[in-house]
Amino acid sequence: MRQRAWLRSYARFTLALTFALPVVFFLNNCGGPGNQTTRMTTEDFQEMAAQMSQSLAMDDNFRNRTAQSEPWVISIDKTQNLSSDVITESERWYVVQKIRSSLPIRTMGEQKNVQFVIPAEQLQRMRNDPRLDVKDDPNFQRTTPTHQMTATFRTVTRADATNRTDLYYCEFHLYNLKTGEQDWTDKFEYKRAAAGHIWD
Amino acid sequence: MTNQNNTLVTGSLLLLALCLLPACQAPHAIDVSHFVVAGEYGKARMVVRNNLEKKRGEREFLLDRMQLGILTLADGYPQSAQIVFEDVYQLLRTQGINADRTVASQVFYEGVKIWKGEPFEQALTFAYYSMQQAELGQWDNARAAASNGLFQLRDFGENKKGERLDTEEIARRAIEAERKAAGQPTAKDDYINTGYAVRESNFTLGYLLQGIASRQLGRTEEGNDFLNVAAQVDPSVRPVVDHLKSGQYNTVFVVSYGLGPTKVAYGMDNALAKFQPRFPSDDSPLIGRIVGQQRAAYPVVCDVNRMASDHMWNNMEDVRQAKSILGNVLLGAGAVTTGVGAHNDNDTAVLIGIGLMAAGALAKAGAHADTRYCNVMPQRMYVVPMMITQPNTTVELEVQGRPNSRIALAGLSPPP
């Protein structure tokens, strides 16, 4: 009889579970999407900007300069996206702005007499984008560029039905506008992988 | 590069679709197809915009934005569509967001899932994003967006008659596979997850858009490769491909026609869903001409009816039919066993019966098919490259055999 009572209790528990489980499943499924994308993130852009500015600071052309050197004004006015991911105009210029505002570059301005400029309309576009935190530089002075910097984003994508890996490259080139020569180039890469059906 | 200044124009010929609107429209959060049919894209997008679902976890979140993006583009405001498409793109590029909830998606009403649409809807949305970027002159992003619509597909193959498997047949095979696995299928032997071959996309429009965008970027060889793939996938688009490869164009019209298929529930417990044409498919070309010049015929490059009816472009919604059938069987068996067990004081039978009822109830809960879909997709699309050399040029477009589909685009000028 005791065993029967236990079984009845167990049966009631099972029945209750029948109705409780859907609630549990429902609550588990209320969350938003997880981090299962190979898209570049703001942190990626920030990291890339930091690496790039460090690389620039280490280059001989820059290392040997002093505060008394002839001023360099580097215009960053051309970015191209040849990756397999959509990178909006704002996002592209956000990278450039991050580079401009990074500590090594700002230090370069003071110690190496190098100034980075970007087109005014791009700066305005970033200011208008609520997702980007772009502040004005009170020390900014617009002058005629002596150098041009370009940035090109590329990817190597590997994808099957359930996985995707994107290897991103961002190539920077610095050209001397007087001589037309390339003064510096470097590329930065990082990999992002995601699992799960592309369409699911 | 004369092509550097090319423009891309999207347009719609929706004049004939009204009489074909279904009498029994599937339940839908926002249905603006009547505005779309009347060509009143402004009204349609305002209705959608004013009713936008704000919770990301809701199925309508992406559905609404897909519709808003497409309608805003059709209304001639690519810049305004930017922020909408960015949101949509972000979600579509998030993969496997339903992967961890496979069990839940089969057991409960699908409204709790985050909805990304059918694969064909996703591919078309990437194509629309590509067009939107192209209209803004962002050819690099147009190329990237188009490439994302060329994802690999699941192909369950054909039956013994050489016909493509339809959704019911796949569901039956899934049930058979489960039965063979003694009712305890694992992820490894689940037919739905393993019974297919992976295929490269056959999305002709996507290849064409990527080819056009690549050529615009000066990547002619790459662009031609994509165009060649388009012609391999669908040989009927060869004339368009040859035209594009020749570079003799400075404007590309992407023309949509008709309303895409509607999604309806049918079968026991309305457990199955299928797409049903609202506008019939045919291979009638688009006749286009610059006034004063010769007419040319342009083939259909995308038939949404055909995509929607091919299992490769569908989610495996019909797994719910299998669950519905299993649910009915188990509920019946469970009720009988419990009755017998209680009558005979057989505790083991009572437990088994209740267990079966629990499993049956869970399966039954997922029986009704979810028929929400993006209801502003066109039935078909054409890609029309043209060389506009004079200001105030008029272009006439008409689907062959449908004189009331004719539109004239006046005041066109060469791209700057």
Side-chain angles (χ1 to χ4, degrees), chain B residues 87-379:
Chain B
D87 274 349
V88 171
Y89 179 77
Q90 179 66 29
L91 261 180
L92 291 184
R93 280 284 276 110
T94 307
Q95 63 195 70
I97 54 180
N98 294 317
D100 293 335
R101 47 191 73 176
T102 308
V103 175
S105 71
Q106 292 173 358
V107 173
F108 297 107
Y109 191 69
E110 203 157 351
V112 301
K113 287 174 69 177
I114 294 173
W115 184 82
K116 289 179 70 178
E118 303 284 347
F120 81 86
E121 291 173 318
Q122 295 180 35
L124 281 162
T125 304
F126 281 124
Y128 275 108
Y129 192 20
S130 174
M131 290 181 234
Q132 184 261 347
Q133 290 293 305
E135 286 194 56
L136 295 179
Q138 300 286 324
W139 291 102
D140 50 0
N141 277 339
R143 171 181 170 273
S147 77
N148 279 284
L150 297 172
F151 47 79
Q152 292 176 320
L153 303 168
R154 283 178 290 203
D155 186 355
F156 284 88
E158 300 169 343
N159 60 22
K160 288 176 183 172
K161 296 175 188 170
E163 299 161 337
R164 301 279 300 153
L165 289 189
D166 61 20
T167 50
E168 284 183 62
E169 221 164 338
I170 295 169
R172 274 199 295 275
R173 292 185 182 201
I175 295 165
E176 282 170 22
E178 284 194 7
R179 283 178 181 160
K180 281 180 186 169
Q184 294 182 331
T186 63
K188 194 178 176 185
D189 57 15
D190 180 2
Y191 178 79
I192 297 290
N193 289 326
T194 59
Y196 60 86
V198 175
R199 292 273 180 267
E200 292 301 319
S201 177
N202 60 2
F203 186 39
T204 311
L205 175 65
Y207 290 113
L208 289 174
L209 290 173
Q210 192 163 11
I212 292 167
S214 294
R215 287 181 60 90
Q216 289 303 121
L217 294 169
R219 301 166 71 85
T220 309
E221 207 169 309
E222 177 192 271
N224 288 348
D225 286 345
F226 284 112
L227 295 175
N228 287 335
V229 175
Q232 283 167 12
V233 168
D234 182 359
S236 73
V237 305
R238 173 59 70 185
V240 173
V241 165
D242 289 342
H243 191 161
L244 291 168
K245 284 168 69 178
S246 75
Q248 296 301 305
Y249 63 96
N250 60 7
T251 302
V252 178
F253 297 90
V254 179
V255 182
S256 58
Y257 177 67
L259 273 179
T262 183
K263 196 173 186 182
V264 295
Y266 71 103
M268 181 166 48
D269 295 334
N270 278 331
L272 277 173
K274 67 177 177 183
F275 280 93
Q276 191 169 280
R278 289 187 282 185
F279 203 89
S281 294
D282 61 48
D283 295 324
S284 300
L286 186 80
I287 306 300
R289 71 161 185 149
I290 294 172
V291 171
Q293 297 182 18
Q294 284 198 326
R295 292 150 56 104
Y298 302 90
V300 176
V301 300
C302 179
D303 184 333
V304 180
N305 285 344
R306 286 177 190 156
M307 285 178 86
S309 64
D310 189 331
H311 70 252
M312 286 203 303
W313 285 105
N314 289 151
N315 285 321
M316 293 295 104
E317 295 275 356
D318 43 13
V319 75
R320 281 182 292 155
Q321 182 204 24
K323 291 293 178 189
S324 176
I325 292 167
L326 276 175
N328 287 340
V329 171
L330 290 176
L331 273 177
V336 171
T337 315
T338 307
V340 172
H343 183 71
N344 296 338
D345 285 349
N346 184 333
D347 297 323
T348 310
V350 169
L351 272 181
I352 293 170
I354 289 170
L356 282 171
M357 284 180 74
L362 286 171
K364 186 82 175 142
H368 193 281
D370 195 319
T371 55
R372 285 173 285 184
Y373 68 106
C374 183
N375 66 10
V376 297
M377 295 289 184
Q379 184 270 312

